[in-house]
């Protein structure tokens, strides 16, 4: 309640009390019963005020707790956004390096193809071709697809490769244990399919 409401309520109590109090001193019996009623009314009013204070304190505590909870959630969301922005910039850097590696690979392929076109059908050409094939396979294996599971869950795989358990990874990343296991299995399947 607001302070003006308390004042209005107090004024009402005083008005009721004034009406109950005896108007003349001749009626002592009525006066003592009115006095008892006044004391009872006063006790009721004090009890009412006490209850109102407790409710007010409860509301203040509830609002304070809600505000703290909202601040904590906001902090967590800000931290998560910062991590996602960092991960995004890392992925952009990785994509750039993969683009450069792909360009270098294309240049190497064109050079080797040009060398093969000018060379005759000699044994050196066969050796060069097999060397080229080996280099091509090694280069294909070293290039990680941009949209692979490893690139999407780098933090998860870093934790896994550092020896963390599935439970610890799930707890750290806020994921289910089953979800972490599924990601690891899909990554193994993707790796096997890429090398097959």
């Amino acid at each position: 309640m607001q302070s003006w409401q308390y004042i209005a309520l107090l004024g009402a109590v005083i008005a009721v009390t004034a009406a109950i109090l005896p108007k003349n001193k001749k009626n002592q019996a009525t006066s003592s019963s009115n006095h008892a009623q006044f004391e009872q009314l006063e006790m009721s009013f004090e009890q009412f005020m006490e209850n109102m204070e407790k409710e007010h304190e409860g509301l203040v505590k509830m609002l304070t707790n809600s505000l703290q909870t909202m601040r904590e959630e906001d902090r967590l969301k800000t931290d998560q956004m910062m991590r996602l922005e960092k991960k995004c910039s890392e992925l952009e850097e990785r994509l750039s390096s993969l683009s450069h590696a792909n360009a270098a690979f294309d240049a190497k392929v064109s050079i080797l193809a040009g060398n093969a076109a000018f060379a005759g059908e000699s044994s050196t050409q066969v050796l060069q071709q097999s060397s080229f094939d080996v280099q091509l396979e090694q280069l294909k294996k070293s290039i990680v697809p941009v949209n692979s599971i490893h690139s999407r869950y780098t933090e998860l795989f870093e934790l896994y490769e550092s020896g963390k358990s599935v439970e610890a990874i799930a707890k750290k990343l806020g994921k289910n244990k089953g979800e972490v296991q599924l990601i690891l299995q899909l990554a193994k399947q993707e790796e096997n399919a890429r090398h097959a």
Side-chain angles (χ1 to χ4, degrees):
M1 284 180 99
Q2 295 180 355
S3 59
W4 68 271
Q5 290 173 330
Y6 288 121
I7 293 170
L9 189 58
L10 184 60
V13 168
I14 292 172
V16 168
T17 304
I20 293 174
L21 286 177
K23 300 217 174 182
N24 56 23
K25 302 232 177 198
K26 293 179 187 175
N27 211 348
Q28 283 296 343
T30 310
S31 174
S32 66
S33 78
N34 284 343
H35 184 66
Q37 287 177 348
F38 177 73
E39 286 180 2
Q40 193 175 18
L41 185 63
E42 191 176 290
M43 285 176 47
S44 297
F45 182 70
E46 285 178 6
Q47 184 66 36
F48 174 75
M49 292 299 288
E50 230 176 84
N51 290 342
M52 291 304 291
E53 276 187 42
K54 286 180 183 175
E55 285 181 21
H56 179 66
E57 287 173 4
L59 285 172
V60 168
K61 283 181 183 177
M62 184 180 73
L63 288 173
T64 304
N65 290 340
S66 296
L67 186 61
Q68 287 174 345
T69 303
M70 286 172 53
R71 285 180 180 159
E72 182 64 22
E73 288 174 356
D74 187 45
R75 186 189 63 77
L76 290 174
K77 286 179 183 177
T78 303
D79 289 347
Q80 187 176 13
M81 274 183 47
M82 289 174 65
R83 281 195 312 267
L84 289 174
E85 287 174 356
K86 181 181 176 185
K87 194 178 278 189
C88 184
S89 66
E90 288 172 359
L91 289 174
E92 286 175 352
E93 289 175 10
R94 190 169 181 183
L95 179 62
S96 174
S97 67
L98 287 175
S99 296
H100 293 306
N102 192 22
F105 173 73
D106 287 343
K108 210 175 208 184
V109 166
S110 66
I111 289 171
L112 290 174
N115 287 344
F118 289 117
E121 287 294 321
S122 65
S123 62
T124 55
Q125 182 183 11
V126 172
L127 287 175
Q128 286 177 345
Q129 184 64 34
S130 65
S131 171
F132 171 73
D133 291 340
V134 168
Q135 288 178 349
L136 183 62
E137 278 301 312
Q138 289 175 346
L139 197 51
K140 281 182 183 178
K141 288 180 182 178
S142 69
I143 296 176
V144 177
V146 176
N147 203 13
S148 71
I149 292 177
H150 275 277
S151 66
R152 283 184 275 167
Y153 299 99
T154 53
E155 189 176 1
L156 185 143
F157 287 105
E158 288 172 2
L159 292 170
Y160 184 72
E161 289 168 3
S162 70
K164 299 287 185 197
S165 68
V166 172
E167 293 85 7
I169 295 170
K171 188 174 184 179
K172 171 121 175 116
L173 298 178
K175 297 185 180 301
N176 294 336
K177 180 181 168 185
E179 185 180 357
V180 172
Q181 289 174 335
L182 178 65
I183 292 169
L184 292 172
Q185 288 173 353
L186 289 174
K188 285 180 186 175
Q189 289 175 357
E190 184 180 78
E191 191 73 25
N192 292 338
R194 200 165 13 120
H195 292 298

